[in-house]
Amino acid sequence: MRLDKYLTEMGIGSRSEVKQGIRKGFARVNGETAVRPEFKVDEKDRVTWKGTPVDFVAYEYIMLNKPAGVVSATEDKRDRTVLDLVKDARRKDLFPVGRLDKDTEGLLLLTNDGKLAHRLLSPKHHVAKVYYARVQGVMTEADVQRFKEGFAVDDELTALPAELEILSVCEGDTCEIRLKIFEGKFHQVKRMVQAAGKEVLYLKRLSMGPLVLDAALAPGEYRSLTEKEQEALYAE
C-alpha cells in the first residue's frame, strides 16, 4: 500500500494534505524518514506521523446506542448523523449497517466492513432483530398469533412470521411489547403495529442477530465491538 493511502485511511488528513506532509518529512517508516508519497508500506511496518505512531486498522466495528433525533446516514445537510456522534473513530469510511428511524433509539452497528454488512442485511439470511416498544392500544393474544403466522401489512408489505411478546398487562390503552422480526423493511415495526390497529409511541432496537445492545451505553454513547462479538456476527 502507498504511504499516502495508508495515512489517509487512518484519518491523518486528505490525500493532498498527507502528500504535502510526507514531503515535509512528517512521516517515518521503521525509524526512517519517508518523503515519497508512493513509498510502499504494509501493516507490519512501524509508521509515525510527527512522532506519533499510526497503527493501521483495516476494519472497525462500533456499537452505538442511537439516540432519538439523529439520522442513520453518513451525512445529512439538515440533521446530525450517527457518524457525528463518534468522535474518535480510527476509520473515516464507516457507515451504519441498516437504518433506524430518526425517532427510534437503540442498537446500531457502524463499520466499514461491507462483507459483514451484506451478511447482516441480506434478506436470504433472515437475521433476527429484536425491538422494545410502547404501544398506544391494547395488544392481545390474537395479535400474538397473527404476528406468529405472518400477514399482509399493507399493499407493499407482507410480513414474515414474527415473535410478539406482551411484556406487561396493558394499563389503560398503553402496552409494552417485545417484537422479533426476521427482515428489515421500511418502518416495518411501526407498520405492523399500525396494521394491528395500534400505534408505536416509543421504539428501541435491543439486538441484531447475536449482537445485543450493551446496557451500560447511554443514548449517544458507543464502544468498539469485542473480538468475541465480531466472531459471533460472522458466524451468524
Side-chain angles (χ1 to χ4, degrees), residues 138-144 164-170 175-178:
V138 178
M139 303 296 288
T140 67
E141 288 303 316
D143 293 319
V144 172
L164 171 63
E165 180 184 358
I166 302 172
L167 296 178
S168 62
V169 176
C170 298
C175 287
E176 294 182 333
I177 64 170
R178 181 183 289 114

Side-chain angles (χ1 to χ4, degrees), residues 3 20 50 54 80 124 194 227:
L3 178 58
Q20 291 176 15
K50 296 181 180 180
V54 182
R80 282 197 308 162
K124 69 178 182 180
Q194 186 176 44
E227 289 188 10

Side-chain angles (χ1 to χ4, degrees), residues 1-7 15 19 23 36-41:
M1 181 186 303
R2 288 172 55 115
L3 178 58
D4 58 347
K5 185 175 188 297
Y6 178 111
L7 292 167
R15 196 69 170 262
K19 286 182 177 180
R23 294 188 179 108
R36 293 184 297 111
E38 67 273 17
F39 187 87
K40 295 297 184 181
V41 295

Side-chain angles (χ1 to χ4, degrees), residues 68-140:
V70 298
V71 295
S72 300
T74 55
E75 59 182 357
D76 191 277
K77 294 181 179 180
R78 294 181 301 173
D79 298 305
R80 282 197 308 162
T81 73
V82 290
L83 292 186
D84 292 330
L85 301 175
V86 182
K87 303 301 184 182
D88 54 356
R90 300 287 299 281
R91 300 286 312 196
K92 301 304 178 184
D93 52 355
L94 299 179
F95 58 86
V97 178
R99 300 175 66 89
L100 292 179
D101 297 340
K102 183 178 178 180
D103 61 348
T104 299
E105 299 181 2
L107 176 67
L108 191 64
L109 174 63
L110 307 176
T111 187
N112 62 319
D113 188 340
K115 181 178 179 181
L116 176 62
H118 177 73
R119 287 174 60 89
L120 295 175
L121 298 176
S122 175
K124 69 178 182 180
H125 286 112
H126 299 305
V127 174
K129 304 168 188 69
V130 178
Y131 294 82
Y132 163 84
R134 286 199 301 269
V135 174
Q136 185 82 39
V138 178
M139 303 296 288
T140 67

Side-chain angles (χ1 to χ4, degrees), residues 1-29 34 41 47-57 60 87-93:
M1 181 186 303
R2 288 172 55 115
L3 178 58
D4 58 347
K5 185 175 188 297
Y6 178 111
L7 292 167
T8 299
E9 290 195 7
M10 291 302 95
I12 295 302
S14 68
R15 196 69 170 262
S16 61
E17 291 170 339
V18 166
K19 286 182 177 180
Q20 291 176 15
I22 292 173
R23 294 188 179 108
K24 290 178 180 178
F26 294 165
R28 295 174 68 87
V29 179
V41 295
V47 179
T48 63
W49 182 262
K50 296 181 180 180
T52 301
V54 182
D55 297 325
F56 189 81
V57 176
E60 192 167 13
K87 303 301 184 182
D88 54 356
R90 300 287 299 281
R91 300 286 312 196
K92 301 304 178 184
D93 52 355

